[in-house]
C-alpha cells in the first residue's frame, strides 16, 4: 500500500525506486516518517555499505535529516511463560 501513501513528488520516492532496483523490499512505516528496508542476513555484509551510501546521498540531496538504524528480526516472537 506504499504507492498510495507517497506521492511521486516526494523526495524519498527516488530512494525507494533505487532500493527496489537493487531487489530490496521496502515499505513506509507508520504514517511515513520511516522507510523500512528488508535485506536477507546472508546479503547484509555486501549490501549494507551500498544501502548506507545510497540513503545518505538521497537524503542529503533532499536536505532531509535522518537516522539510519539497523535492526534484526526476531524469529521467536513473543513468548508467554506461565508460572
Amino acid at each position: 500500500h506504499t504507492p498510495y501513501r507517497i506521492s511521486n513528488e516526494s523526495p524519498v520516492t527516488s530512494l525507494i525506486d533505487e532500493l527496489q532496483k537493487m531487489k530490496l523490499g521496502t515499505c513506509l512505516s507508520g504514517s511515513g516518517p520511516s522507510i523500512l528496508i528488508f535485506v536477507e542476513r546472508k546479503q547484509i555484509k555486501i549490501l549494507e555499505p551500498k544501502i548506507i551510501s545510497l540513503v545518505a546521498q538521497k537524503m542529503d540531496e533532499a536536505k532531509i535529516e535522518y537516522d539510519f538504524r539497523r535492526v534484526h528480526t526476531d524469529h521467536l516472537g513473543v513468548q508467554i511463560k506461565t508460572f
Side-chain angles (χ1 to χ4, degrees):
H1 66 283
T2 296
Y4 299 103
R5 298 174 59 212
I6 188 168
S7 71
N8 288 336
E9 293 80 30
S10 172
V12 297
T13 300
S14 67
L15 171 60
I16 292 172
D17 289 345
E18 290 297 319
L19 292 166
Q20 289 177 345
K21 286 179 188 174
M22 295 171 65
K23 306 294 185 208
L24 297 172
T26 62
C27 70
L28 296 179
S29 176
S31 61
S34 300
I35 300 170
L36 301 179
I37 305 167
F38 301 95
V39 180
E40 290 184 65
R41 278 191 172 92
K42 62 185 177 187
Q43 295 180 321
I44 196 72
K45 287 184 180 180
I46 296 168
L47 293 177
E48 186 175 37
K50 295 176 184 179
I51 294 168
I52 290 172
S53 176
L54 179 63
V55 169
Q57 174 194 346
K58 295 295 184 179
M59 294 294 105
D60 289 347
E61 286 174 3
K63 296 179 179 32
I64 297 174
E65 289 186 38
Y66 70 97
D67 183 22
F68 190 94
R69 297 182 186 193
R70 182 179 180 191
V71 296
H72 300 274
T73 56
D74 179 0
H75 294 285
L76 300 176
V78 174
Q79 296 182 357
I80 299 172
K81 296 181 180 182
T82 58
F83 297 98

